[in-house]
């Protein structure tokens, strides 16, 4: 059994936040943000909007894009770093609000690699015969965990959600087929990306410093690790599935930094024009970044049915993941 992607839906919050707006309250500038990251704007949720709200909307659109009814889905795999609550998981709520019935629903915590981890799990469940059709969602509302005073993170992250529908397929050459996935981690560097307080290691008490409740990242150290691990993971996957780098039509890397995307293409020896860049308009949307980039590039008419698409991501944990698909005959919504 194989799995194939048959639908794609996305959701961005309505509030557009420009670099100029951020520079009004922080010691930063449009020039610094654009030159160091490639980001020109991002979307943030309004107070009261949660990750599940974005996930439900993206999920609805993915179902519509796939031409499926809610009862056709039998698993929801939701990747997020910003669950609605520390407990319970957000996926069951999303499944319930989508009217999917008593399906299996679970969250995946792999930070910016989360979407590809979830895709790999959905693919594996289908290939193993445990599921027929899986809704894979990456959704994050990072604006809710950013320190208002930390210019190093506040200018980088945006909110959003993207969802794909994977279904069982017995035709290996069908456009949309997931060729394979590669996953990895290195917990020795867990402190490079984290929220210090709020877990069992450092529960929140009345004495918790407010800065410890927010997301922190050692950006420059992460940068080096990101290029190395995404390149190695992608190369391992390509070796497994027998694709040469020259045969890759589109490189869809996690949208963390435009400079990382350029370096990644260079390391993989893929022409930089084949790298999809979406970070300029949405920033780093963590688990939503890959599906948002796929939908954006498809919307621009860059993808043709059957094109070879290599996706690779990197995030806190540290974690990394890659997956390869051929582009399906779908209209992302
Ligand atoms: O999504 C999960 C994975 N995450 C990533 O892959 C992120 C990877 N890292 C990066 O993208 C980059 O490291 C950043 C964009 C986060 C930072 O770029 P950088 O070139 O590594 O800059 P830096 O952190 O070394 O900072 C350079 C300078 C520092 O000043 P000093 O110490 O040289 O005086 C920072 O304080 O830039 C300063 N800086 C800023 N200046 C203006 C940091 N943030 C800002 C800012 N505006 N927003």
């Amino acid at each position: 059994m194989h799995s194939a992607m048959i639908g794609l839906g996305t959701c961005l919050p309505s509030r557009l936040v420009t670099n100029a707006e951020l520079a009004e309250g922080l010691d930063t500038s449009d020039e610094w943000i654009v030159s160091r990251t490639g980001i020109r704007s991002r979307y943030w949720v309004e107070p009261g909007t949660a990750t599940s709200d974005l996930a439900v909307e993206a999920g609805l659109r993915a179902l519509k894009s796939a031409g499926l009814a809610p009862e056709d889905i039998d698993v929801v795999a939701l990747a997020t770093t910003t669950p609605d609550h520390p407990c319970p998981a957000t996926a069951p709520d999303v499944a319930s609000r989508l009217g999917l019935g008593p399906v299996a629903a679970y969250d995946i915590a792999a930070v910016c690699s989360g979407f590809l981890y979830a895709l790999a799990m959905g693919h594996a469940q289908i290939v193993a015969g445990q599921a027929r059709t899986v809704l894979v969602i990456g959704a994050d509302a990072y604006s809710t965990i950013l320190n208002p005073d930390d210019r190093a993170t506040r200018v980088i992250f945006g909110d959003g959600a993207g969802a794909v529908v994977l279904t069982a397929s017995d035709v290996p050459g069908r456009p949309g087929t997931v060729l394979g996935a590669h996953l990895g981690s290195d917990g020795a560097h867990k402190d490079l990306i984290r929220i210090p307080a709020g877990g069992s290691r450092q529960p929140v008490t009345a004495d918790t410093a407010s800065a410890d409740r927010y997301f922190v990242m050692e950006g420059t150290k992460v940068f080096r690790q990101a290029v190395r691990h995404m390149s190695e993971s992608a190369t391992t996957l390509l070796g497994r599935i027998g694709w040469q780098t020259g045969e890759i039509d589109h490189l869809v890397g996690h949208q963390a930094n435009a400079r990382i995307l350029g370096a990644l293409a260079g390391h993989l020896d893929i022409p930089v024009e084949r790298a999809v860049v979406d970070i300029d308009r949405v920033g780093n949307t963590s688990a939503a970044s890959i599906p948002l980039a796929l939908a954006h590039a498809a919307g621009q008419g860059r993808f043709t049915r059957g094109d070879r698409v290599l996706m690779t991501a990197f995030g806190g944990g540290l974690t990394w993941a890659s997956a390869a698909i051929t582009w399906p005959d779908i209209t992302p919504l």
Side-chain angles (χ1 to χ4, degrees), residues 268-293:
L268 290 172
D269 203 19
I270 293 175
V272 74
E273 314 78 67
R274 294 191 197 163
V276 170
V277 178
D278 189 31
I279 189 169
D280 51 333
R281 95 190 158 106
V282 296
N284 180 343
T285 55
S286 193
S289 133
I290 297 250
L292 282 172

Side-chain angles (χ1 to χ4, degrees), residues 28 32 36 112 151 156 219-220 222 254 256-257 259-260 284:
T28 188
W32 191 95
R36 303 309 292 163
C112 298
R151 65 180 181 174
I156 289 174
T220 308
V222 172
H254 168 51
N257 186 316
R259 291 185 292 140
I260 292 180
N284 180 343

Side-chain angles (χ1 to χ4, degrees), residues 20-232:
E21 179 183 335
L22 292 179
E24 281 170 20
L26 284 170
D27 182 14
T28 188
S29 64
D30 178 58
E31 196 279 328
W32 191 95
I33 301 169
V34 172
S35 64
R36 303 309 292 163
T37 71
I39 299 168
R40 294 184 182 276
S41 60
R42 73 290 289 145
Y43 295 83
W44 283 354
V45 294
E46 299 286 356
T49 299
T51 295
S52 65
D53 301 325
L54 305 175
V56 166
E57 188 57 36
L60 273 174
R61 293 180 192 175
L63 282 175
K64 199 169 170 201
S65 163
L68 294 185
E71 56 271 23
D72 296 326
I73 301 292
D74 41 27
V75 174
V76 174
L78 170 69
T80 188
T81 306
T82 57
D84 286 13
H85 305 281
C87 173
T90 302
D93 179 39
V94 170
S96 164
R97 285 160 59 192
L98 286 170
L100 306 187
V103 297
Y106 55 88
D107 284 8
I108 287 188
V111 197
C112 298
S113 313
F115 175 77
L116 292 182
Y117 261 72
L119 187 86
M121 292 306 111
H123 167 67
Q125 284 190 278
I126 289 171
V127 170
Q130 292 174 1
R132 199 157 170 84
T133 306
V134 179
L135 183 61
V136 177
I137 308 176
D140 267 313
Y142 260 61
S143 62
T144 62
I145 57 168
L146 296 175
N147 184 337
D149 300 324
D150 182 12
R151 65 180 181 174
T153 54
R154 199 159 178 79
V155 304
I156 289 174
F157 290 91
D159 303 338
V164 306
V165 178
L166 290 184
T167 199
S169 160
D170 50 14
V171 185
R174 170 183 178 171
T177 297
V178 178
L179 276 298
H182 172 263
L183 308 177
S185 74
D186 179 3
H189 294 294
K190 64 181 169 29
D191 290 342
L192 295 183
I193 293 175
R194 68 198 167 115
I195 299 175
S200 54
R201 177 70 65 199
Q202 189 182 336
V204 171
T205 67
D207 299 328
T208 303
S210 66
D212 283 351
R213 303 179 192 198
Y214 291 117
F215 178 91
V216 287
M217 176 170 77
E218 292 191 42
T220 308
K221 288 183 186 161
V222 172
F223 192 117
R224 279 185 229 117
Q225 298 275 343
V227 176
R228 183 181 139 215
H229 287 298
M230 283 194 286
S231 307
E232 287 177 2

